[in-house]
Amino acid sequence: MAEKDVRILAIESSCDETAAAVVRNGREVLSNVISSQIELHKLYGGVVPEIASRKHIEKINQVIEEALLVAGVTLDDLDAVAVTYGPGLVGALLVGVAEAKAISYAKGLPLVGVHHIEGHISANYIENKELEPPFICLVVSGGHTHLVRVADYGVYEILGRTRDDAAGEAFDKVARAIGLGYPGGPKIDRLSREGNAEAIPFPKAKIADAPYDFSFSGLKSAVLNYLNGCQMKGIEVNRADVAASFQKAVCDVLVEHAMLAVKESGLDCLAIAGGVASNGTLRASMEQACAKNGIRFFRPSPILCTDNAAMIGAAGYYEFKKGVRSGLDLNAVPNLKLGER
Ligand code: KG4
Ligand code: ZN
């Protein structure tokens, strides 16, 4: 007998996107609504936590209503509510968590708290129906840079992580330094297409005895020093060359570490996830390296790489299937570690 469909309403509000989605059986997205606050935070050059929380409160009901409408369902058609409860900005997370608890209580629906990074990883399941653990996943977002062995659904072994800045953070800081504004990643991605990636040899950090760990703060300083040097010598900066050379330095390290992790793990499968996974150069160079090394390569569409709720619905489904349930005492955990509950 066919198993009954599981329809999950998923909510994400950990940073500056208010998002809701309805996902069927973990991999079929019935709706994926995202209300971005980028225009608002742009004025300040980055996310202002207090403003983010207030905007989430204003938007969340509207976003959920739209997600239900687009999916053609009502709250009565749902089987569970999944929500990001960490890591992220505490005030922002609390809005989603409170909303999910209210719906769960009012409708008697099971509640599933989801780890934000588990969501990013699970975004890969949505468009790649054949992808199943085990595989290696490189998670590169604004707050995290992790190389993870996905041993099974919801079972993660962290192989490496950044020692300082996250990859996305480095993109945002370098973008600010060359006057591109917030958010920097997509702007560097675009500008770099007009530049020469070989123009400036920026350093690629390696950490002794920790081949899977990353460090991006030295690279960021090298870019700042280069810009200062140009200013002092009265040389005009070619911003496109800086963007392209910086991006190449980041992507080269990410590709090298990911290739090593796949090879040493004995697996033949790599996925990438998180906002930086939407970067054109990273996607192209990772694809090329995987093809060269006989590795199956998976990546979500760009819209599923940056923050969204469909990925929370995918992750929530596998937790739900395992019997994971959160109580109405679920709280926001701003520094939640991957693999912890
Ligand atoms: O995953 P995400 O949406 O939020 C977090 O969980 O942090 O990632 C946001 C980060 C930002 O740092 C942004 O600049 C970066 O992802 N990003 C990019 C691109 N699109 C977003 N970085 C490089 N290239 C892009 N195309
Ligand atoms: Zn994220």
Side-chain angles (χ1 to χ4, degrees):
M1 201 176 79
E3 272 191 62
K4 182 187 170 299
D5 278 351
V6 174
R7 286 194 191 86
I8 292 184
L9 170 67
I11 299 172
E12 154 67 41
S13 69
S14 66
C15 190
D16 60 346
E17 332 277 354
T18 319
V22 179
V23 178
R24 181 159 56 198
N25 301 332
R27 298 200 184 216
E28 197 186 335
V29 177
L30 304 185
S31 63
N32 187 25
V33 179
I34 305 167
S35 168
S36 174
Q37 306 176 359
I38 284 179
E39 288 305 315
L40 207 62
H41 298 288
K42 239 183 199 171
L43 304 169
Y44 307 95
V47 178
V48 184
E50 193 51 41
I51 296 178
S53 316
R54 254 184 279 149
K55 211 63 202 167
H56 283 311
I57 292 173
E58 271 175 41
K59 289 281 176 187
I60 195 140
N61 282 321
Q62 213 176 306
V63 165
I64 290 173
E65 270 171 30
E66 197 181 330
L68 295 171
L69 191 74
V70 173
V73 299
T74 70
L75 291 177
D76 294 319
D77 300 318
L78 300 172
D79 299 285
V81 184
V83 63
T84 306
Y85 73 108
L89 303 168
V90 67
L93 288 164
L94 273 171
V95 177
V97 168
E99 183 80 19
K101 289 200 286 193
I103 295 172
S104 158
Y105 180 64
K107 288 288 167 187
L109 289 168
L111 178 67
V112 183
V114 172
H115 191 291
H116 182 74
I117 298 301
E118 177 168 14
H120 274 303
I121 295 170
S122 304
N124 280 285
Y125 297 136
I126 294 168
E127 295 159 309
N128 303 300
K129 311 291 183 213
E130 72 279 29
L131 175 63
E132 287 192 29
F135 58 93
I136 300 293
C137 188
L138 172 73
V139 186
V140 271
S141 73
H144 304 269
T145 305
H146 282 108
L147 249 177
V148 181
R149 183 178 197 276
V150 182
D152 200 347
Y153 291 107
V155 182
Y156 307 98
E157 182 193 345
I158 297 177
L159 306 174
R161 51 161 55 87
T162 182
R163 296 288 181 100
D164 37 59
D165 292 352
E169 202 178 346
F171 268 93
D172 293 336
K173 287 177 178 169
V174 166
R176 190 177 310 153
I178 56 175
L180 294 179
Y182 179 85
K187 293 186 173 168
I188 290 195
D189 196 353
R190 219 168 300 129
L191 182 62
S192 66
R193 292 180 207 144
E194 297 157 28
N196 173 9
E198 310 292 340
I200 312 153
F202 288 129
K204 292 166 198 166
K206 284 223 178 345
I207 296 162
D209 305 327
Y212 302 135
D213 278 359
F214 303 94
S215 167
F216 295 110
S217 70
L219 170 59
K220 175 192 66 192
S221 302
V223 175
L224 296 179
N225 288 342
Y226 174 83
L227 295 174
N228 280 339
C230 288
Q231 197 184 21
M232 272 162 29
K233 290 179 215 149
I235 301 169
E236 199 186 326
V237 172
N238 182 326
R239 299 195 310 167
D241 282 354
V242 175
S245 301
F246 158 78
Q247 184 174 265
K248 181 175 189 316
V250 174
C251 292
D252 282 356
V253 169
L254 295 175
V255 170
E256 267 174 42
H257 286 34
M259 288 304 112
L260 184 67
V262 178
K263 282 183 200 163
E264 303 247 310
S265 69
L267 299 172
D268 70 340
C269 184
L270 174 75
I272 57 174
V276 182
S278 62
N279 183 271
T281 298
L282 179 63
R283 293 165 84 88
S285 38
M286 203 64 97
E287 183 157 24
Q288 218 173 24
C290 284
K292 196 171 134 203
N293 291 290
I295 297 167
R296 292 185 300 143
F297 178 50
F298 297 93
R299 70 263 184 280
S301 292
I303 190 68
L304 293 173
C305 287
T306 44
D307 288 350
N308 66 86
M311 67 184 197
I312 303 304
Y317 171 77
Y318 290 103
E319 296 292 352
F320 176 82
K321 290 283 277 184
K322 280 199 296 190
V324 170
R325 301 290 182 270
S326 306
L328 288 175
D329 58 349
L330 181 70
N331 205 353
V333 184
N335 56 359
L336 185 66
K337 302 279 176 293
L338 190 62
E340 270 179 12
R341 286 215 73 85

